[in-house]
């Protein structure tokens, strides 16, 4: 019976963590109208995407096919989950959403690999209105991106804390069993 108790506690903690993550994700989605996605590209080469500048934002204008295999219509970016109109906000740990387009591209080219590209994705289709003058003003867009990034960092922090707690509990259980 004592062995079942730690398992039950662990299951309850996992359920609580999942509920917290879902609540945080829901809050972020509703408040910022964007989600944050991190994509890791393992080596230098073709990413399978085209970036363009629109109103001060570096966005994915198209997803390209695999140049090494013409039969494969999906490039690396698309296979990883990148979508058209995603906005590049970070390269590895460096925020790039305020940088001029040319600097963003140079930053991507000089980074070491594997490289992580953090993208903001609109919840509602065409929320960004990248090719027109409609939509939120620059200040509102900047604030939304910053809020979405902050929410993503908080989620990562909570996940790390939960993992540390879980490791501590496992170590305590192992010590108790000895």
């Amino acid at each position: 019976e004592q062995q079942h108790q730690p398992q039950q506690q662990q299951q309850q903690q996992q359920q609580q963590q999942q509920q917290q993550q879902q609540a945080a994700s829901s809050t972020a989605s509703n408040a910022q109208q964007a989600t944050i996605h991190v994509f890791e590209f393992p080596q230098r080469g073709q990413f399978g995407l085209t970036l363009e500048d629109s109103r001060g934002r570096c966005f994915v204008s198209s997803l390209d096919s695999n140049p090494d295999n013409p039969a494969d219509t999906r490039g690396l970016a698309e296979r990883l989950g990148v979508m058209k109109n995603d906005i590049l906000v970070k390269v590895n740990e460096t925020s790039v959403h305020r940088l001029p387009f040319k600097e963003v591209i140079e930053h991507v080219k000089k980074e070491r690999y594997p490289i992580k590209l953090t993208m903001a994705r609109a919840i509602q289709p065409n929320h960004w209105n990248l090719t027109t003058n409609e939509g939120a003003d620059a200040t509102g867009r900047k604030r939304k991106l910053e809020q979405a990034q902050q929410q993503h960092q908080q989620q990562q922090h909570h996940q790390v804390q939960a993992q540390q707690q879980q490791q501590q509990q496992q170590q305590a259980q192992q010590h108790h069993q000895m």
Side-chain angles (χ1 to χ4, degrees):
E1 195 170 311
Q2 289 177 353
Q3 291 176 352
H4 292 291
Q5 220 171 18
Q7 288 177 347
Q8 289 174 343
Q9 289 174 347
Q10 188 176 9
Q11 288 174 347
Q12 288 174 348
Q13 288 176 346
Q14 288 175 344
Q15 288 174 348
Q16 288 174 349
Q17 290 170 1
Q18 288 174 347
Q19 290 171 350
Q20 289 171 351
Q21 289 172 353
Q22 288 171 351
S25 176
S26 174
T27 301
S29 298
N30 292 335
Q32 286 86 29
Q33 299 300 308
T35 56
I36 298 295
H37 303 269
V38 180
F39 304 100
E40 186 170 311
F41 294 83
Q43 60 192 15
R44 192 172 301 278
Q46 296 289 326
F47 285 3
L49 59 84
T50 301
L51 296 173
E52 287 188 21
D53 182 23
S54 176
R55 295 177 22 217
R57 291 182 280 194
C58 184
F59 76 100
V60 178
S61 62
S62 67
L63 296 168
D64 307 323
S65 62
N66 183 349
D68 299 326
N69 182 0
D72 186 0
T73 59
R74 294 174 26 162
L76 178 58
E78 189 173 2
R79 287 194 307 271
L80 290 174
V82 176
M83 296 178 70
K84 188 176 175 184
N85 292 329
D86 282 354
I87 295 177
L88 181 60
V89 293
K90 271 173 102 174
V91 176
N92 285 335
E93 297 303 316
T94 304
S95 176
V96 296
H97 75 275
R98 293 182 184 161
L99 297 178
F101 182 73
K102 287 183 181 180
E103 287 183 40
V104 172
I105 299 305
E106 289 303 314
H107 192 72
V108 170
K109 287 180 180 179
K110 74 177 185 178
E111 279 295 319
R112 62 186 183 281
Y113 286 74
I115 189 171
K116 291 181 183 174
L117 301 182
T118 303
M119 305 276 190
R121 179 173 299 155
I123 297 294
Q124 300 170 354
N126 301 320
H127 177 72
W128 298 138
N129 295 313
L130 291 168
T131 57
T132 69
N133 289 329
E134 298 172 14
D137 64 356
T139 304
R141 290 190 311 271
K142 183 173 91 174
R143 185 175 59 248
K144 285 179 182 179
L145 285 174
E146 288 170 350
Q147 289 171 342
Q149 283 181 322
Q150 184 180 24
Q151 183 69 33
H152 178 69
Q153 288 172 345
Q154 288 173 347
Q155 287 174 346
Q156 285 181 325
H157 178 73
H158 289 300
Q159 288 174 345
V160 168
Q161 283 182 326
Q163 288 172 349
Q164 289 173 344
Q165 287 176 347
Q166 190 175 22
Q167 288 173 349
Q168 289 171 351
Q169 288 175 348
Q170 288 173 349
Q171 289 172 353
Q173 287 174 1
Q174 289 172 355
H175 181 70
H176 181 69
Q177 290 174 354
M178 291 180 182

